[in-house]
Amino acid sequence: MQPVRLPDLGEADAVIIVEWFKSEGDTVQSGEELVEVETAKTTFVVEAPISGRLVQIHLQEGDTAKQNDILAEVE
């Protein structure tokens, strides 16, 4: 399994999970948009690191994540 991690946010300490575009069990393609997150200044999208199946979402909409946290896992 490959973790989907929150990338380096620069000066932002944490983000809020806004919306998942896929559900557990869905097939994803490498580079496909998976989840929208929001900082105090902007929103951005985290992409799938590999193609496969989204097997587990660790953080739900409304949860807070920090840099390098595992958001989900793809196999």
Side-chain angles (χ1 to χ4, degrees):
M1 279 197 263
Q2 174 78 33
V4 178
R5 293 186 181 272
L6 186 64
D8 183 357
L9 306 172
E11 55 188 65
D13 292 332
V15 300
I16 296 173
I17 306 298
V18 176
E19 178 183 4
W20 282 96
F21 302 125
K22 295 285 187 171
S23 300
E24 289 182 357
D26 287 351
T27 300
V28 299
Q29 299 299 315
S30 179
E32 183 174 11
E33 296 181 343
L34 283 184
V35 59
E36 181 180 21
V37 298
E38 179 179 54
T39 70
K41 297 181 180 179
T42 188
T43 61
F44 67 95
V45 174
V46 177
E47 298 176 346
I50 61 170
S51 296
R53 186 172 59 88
L54 183 61
V55 292
Q56 185 173 13
I57 293 174
H58 291 271
L59 297 171
Q60 302 301 316
E61 293 171 3
D63 288 347
T64 300
K66 295 183 179 180
Q67 178 181 337
N68 212 30
D69 278 357
I70 297 175
L71 305 177
E73 294 180 74
V74 177
E75 74 171 1

